[in-house]
Amino acid sequence: MSENSDVFRALADPTRRAILEQLALGETTVKDLTARFSVSQPAVSQHLAALRRAGLVSERRAGRFAHYRANPEGLRPLVEWIDHFRSFWPERIRRLEGLLQEMDE
């Protein structure tokens, strides 16, 4: 459950979601991310740290620069959670349709 919580907590913030979307387009640095978003460099670094803790972002060091990229595997807990609940919907929809038909009669 903690793994799920970390992913949900990280994705709850709109700036982190936007950063993740940007990183899904390709690897980039904190400096490049700071230029794209209206937040400070320390704030971008904090967002990246939260995304890293959740396993959504990976970091590669090259000299004094850190390059970040999205880690699609980090979304696995979210996909599994959605898949788990997806199985509940068809039966509930059938029951709702039945109830609505009964109400119409």
Side-chain angles (χ1 to χ4, degrees), residues 3-73:
E3 191 176 61
N4 288 350
S5 297
D6 292 344
V7 171
F8 287 124
R9 193 174 300 112
L11 294 175
D13 184 276
T15 301
R16 284 196 285 270
R17 287 193 308 270
I19 289 172
L20 183 62
E21 288 175 22
Q22 184 64 47
L23 293 174
L25 300 175
E27 188 177 80
T28 192
T29 63
V30 173
K31 181 180 177 183
D32 290 337
L33 288 170
T34 301
R36 288 190 175 107
F37 297 96
S38 59
V39 294
S40 67
Q41 183 275 324
V44 169
S45 293
Q46 288 177 348
H47 286 305
L48 286 167
L51 291 167
R52 260 194 340 267
R53 280 191 304 273
L56 297 169
V57 167
S58 60
E59 174 184 15
R60 177 183 63 84
R61 290 281 185 190
R64 62 187 193 113
F65 295 101
H67 299 265
Y68 295 89
R69 65 182 170 276
N71 177 20
E73 185 64 27

Side-chain angles (χ1 to χ4, degrees), residues 64-98:
R64 62 187 193 113
F65 295 101
H67 299 265
Y68 295 89
R69 65 182 170 276
N71 177 20
E73 185 64 27
L75 291 171
R76 182 177 299 283
L78 176 63
V79 171
E80 289 172 354
W81 185 83
I82 290 170
D83 283 344
H84 172 74
F85 285 98
R86 186 179 313 202
S87 65
F88 293 105
W89 287 110
E91 175 59 29
R92 288 200 162 67
I93 290 172
R94 280 192 293 277
R95 289 191 338 215
L96 177 60
E97 287 172 341

